[in-house]
Amino acid sequence: MHAKPYDLQALLYEITQAATEGKVDAQDLTRISGLVLDRLGCATADEAWERLYADWKGLPRSTVMSGMRAGQILTILPMLRYHQPVTDQERLGELMREADTHGPGGSWGAMVTAVGSTAGLQQVESPADMEAALARIEQSRVALPPGSPTRDALDAMHAGLRAHLAQLGGGEDDFDSAVEDLARLRDSPVFDLAARLGVDAQLAVFRSHQAVRREDETALAQHIHELESVIAQLTPDHMDRVGMEANLDVARANLEILSARREGRLDRDPSALGSAAPTIDEVRRQIALLPRQGQADRLGEAGISSIARTLLAGDAQGVLEAMRLLQDALDLLEPDDDRWIRNAFTLGTGHCALAGMAGAPRADRARHLDQGISWLKHTLRLSGGPAYPLWNTIGMALASAYRLRGDNQLFNARATCLNHAESRRVGLDAVRAATWSVLLQSGTAHAAETGRRAGEQALDVARWCLADGAYDDAVRALDAGRGLVLHAATVAATVPDMLGALGQTGLADEWRAAGDVVPELGPEAALAARPAGSGPSSRLRRRVLQALAASPYRQRLLDVPTTADICQALRAMGRAALVYLVPGGDGVPGTALIVSADGAAKGLRLPQLTVSARPLADYRAAGAPGRTAGGPPTVTTPQPQGPAPDGGRAALERLCDWAGSAVLEPLVKELPRGWGRAPSVVLVPMAELGVVPWHAAR
């Protein structure tokens, strides 16, 4: 049987014409992507890819014809990817090199680069592959005049890829600069009205992520309004409607969470969410109109947003329905796909949440918890290690699930002990892995934001350890959390030496050339992907970390001081003990965790040591006169409105009295001392306790 003949140039013309007639509704996308399979006479995207590559391979190489044909295949490839991933990097590299070397070049080559690079947005690739796509765009844009439509198209693609890479790899400075570049290009003539509406939606989603990260409720509410405005202008079957509604639901849920935390509410107000999503049946109807990979994307987005909404509303049946969307998405994906990992993680957290939800049948709760733990274990294993941006989050979810299962084993002490031990182990690994995220950030502000979140997690794990009497583990958790930003700065100073010792002189020179101060970016510097701040960009940091992580220096990157290290330092300084002051919370009383110079670690219960203690709350309400908070901050505690009636001075005096009676008086009785000598200690106050002037306690 003879293969159906085809003409790639004619096919590209047909695609262009079909796109101008409409590529807005889901069925339009399915129709256009199906057109490619029909013209090639193939039943599947794999079959079409194999035929295109084999036919190209049969052409004479290093000719204008082979270069043009390679570029045409790369231009058509995104249409195939809507049906099925095409991940053969070796063959793709061949086509790219042939198109670059022997194609017509100029604006033709630039557009081939731009269209071919959409692969990085359609399907999550490795950071190295995405860096290669960015490099091709940077090379192609050089010959194009500033402000030209083709150059703006390349710059927009570059910004989208950088944002995608930042989300994949965890570089917040890359993400922020990419968002600003996309905003700058928003009014470019390269976008028609429909495309500009999509840019507005993407900007609103990206900026809502930034607002959540910064815990900025006002900005988040504004970006929710912007996204609502875009959705109101879409047709009911618009190809992106389900995804936008899902992102809107997530943003609304995050706004309610931020509001509840600020107000000190443990409950959530379902009525405040105002769900944007249609019924599950309507979501499935809209998704069914899309090609296979589009269905996988939208099923995952709708499932994740639905779980967030139904969990806040305490709707157990809604959680089950949302999890079925995620399971359908997983059926369309391969386990090595990043989307599989994210969907499986959310599915695992949904099962774990049902285990503690009042609306779930009691007989099913243990089964849900076991299933949740299984999903999270598998997801953590597939994510590969600390370099994966969700590794820390998945680890903390799994540690919390083990903790819950241990707490539920009321009549099996051994099972409780084993599950609690596993929760500590996984939690400590997750906190330790947060070091990677902080090291990746460029600039103090981004590192501090990441370090703050890691500090909150470290405090949670430390409290588990204290409750279990595992004091050495508690020391590891607290020290990992409190010194992340300082540790990152210390490691950064030694990076060139470590790279030089590994023979990575080129990377070392790049690191030195990046310097300490990053200049402001203008339109011409947009592709540098480095916002105003300090230090090398996250893209450079990612490459450096990958080199160091595969070397003996890996331990220096991630390890924190051990109890033995602390004891050695105490003896060298002539101090009797290092004392962590841990505020009470999560059912664990306030504790002074004492590490003595002789190597012993023990906990001293201090029931009055809480961040909600009245003297501390009054002092903070009065403006904490003369003091600023220290230590790793955590979630803001509810504060009384207005200053204390008798002013800041009286509040300070009461705080010093409280610090002495509630903490230092019982602590001094526990500290080791020599004959005739008062103990000399190092105090490490955690969370909001850093605002207390402990040296003035009485």
Side-chain angles (χ1 to χ4, degrees), residues 99-369:
D100 290 343
T101 306
H102 302 290
S107 60
W108 178 90
M111 287 312 299
V112 168
T113 298
V115 176
S117 296
T118 59
L121 299 177
Q122 287 177 297
Q123 176 185 328
V124 176
E125 299 178 338
S126 71
D129 293 332
M130 297 188 76
E131 286 285 5
L134 289 169
R136 288 193 299 275
I137 292 176
E138 290 161 8
Q139 183 179 11
S140 296
R141 78 186 288 273
V142 173
L144 301 172
S148 65
T150 305
R151 181 153 167 173
D152 281 356
L154 285 174
D155 286 355
M157 184 60 62
H158 193 280
L161 280 170
R162 280 198 349 256
H164 200 48
L165 176 60
Q167 290 178 312
L168 173 65
E172 292 174 358
D173 66 310
D174 285 344
F175 185 82
D176 290 349
S177 67
V179 172
E180 293 311 307
D181 288 342
L182 190 59
R184 175 178 59 81
L185 293 163
R186 184 259 181 201
D187 294 322
S188 168
V190 75
F191 298 121
D192 59 22
L193 289 176
R196 191 167 292 121
L197 197 64
V199 173
D200 288 342
Q202 191 63 75
L203 284 171
V205 171
F206 283 163
R207 285 173 168 161
S208 70
H209 294 335
Q210 292 173 318
V212 172
R213 190 179 77 213
R214 296 164 184 162
E215 299 188 2
D216 187 339
E217 292 179 54
T218 302
L220 182 54
Q222 175 187 337
H223 302 319
I224 287 173
H225 176 72
E226 293 164 355
L227 192 52
E228 288 171 338
S229 176
V230 171
I231 291 174
Q233 301 175 60
L234 302 181
T235 60
D237 288 334
H238 191 285
M239 57 184 286
D240 293 326
R241 188 179 188 96
V242 172
M244 289 185 195
E245 289 171 338
N247 279 290
L248 179 56
D249 262 7
V250 170
R252 286 171 167 170
N254 283 326
L255 182 60
E256 169 58 18
I257 289 171
L258 290 179
S259 174
R261 292 170 75 180
R262 174 177 49 80
E263 297 169 3
R265 290 188 282 115
L266 296 178
D267 61 313
R268 307 287 185 249
D269 181 7
S271 65
L273 302 181
S275 173
T279 64
I280 293 292
D281 288 342
E282 176 60 17
V283 168
R284 288 188 180 280
R285 186 196 67 79
Q286 293 180 26
I287 288 171
L289 301 174
L290 291 165
R292 180 185 175 93
Q293 289 303 301
Q295 290 184 32
D297 285 334
R298 298 301 179 257
L299 282 166
E301 290 169 342
I304 290 171
S305 69
S306 295
I307 280 188
R309 183 181 68 255
T310 52
L311 283 178
L312 282 173
D315 178 5
Q317 184 59 38
V319 174
L320 289 171
E321 292 178 357
M323 291 198 301
R324 281 192 278 273
L325 291 176
L326 292 175
Q327 288 168 329
D328 290 346
L330 293 175
D331 289 341
L332 299 175
L333 298 169
E334 297 297 324
D336 60 351
D337 192 315
D338 182 79
R339 293 170 295 175
W340 198 99
I341 293 175
R342 292 173 185 270
N343 290 335
F345 163 62
T346 308
L347 187 59
T349 57
H351 276 296
C352 292
L354 283 173
M357 188 176 289
R362 186 174 296 276
D364 294 340
R365 293 181 191 176
R367 176 179 57 83
H368 279 303
L369 186 55

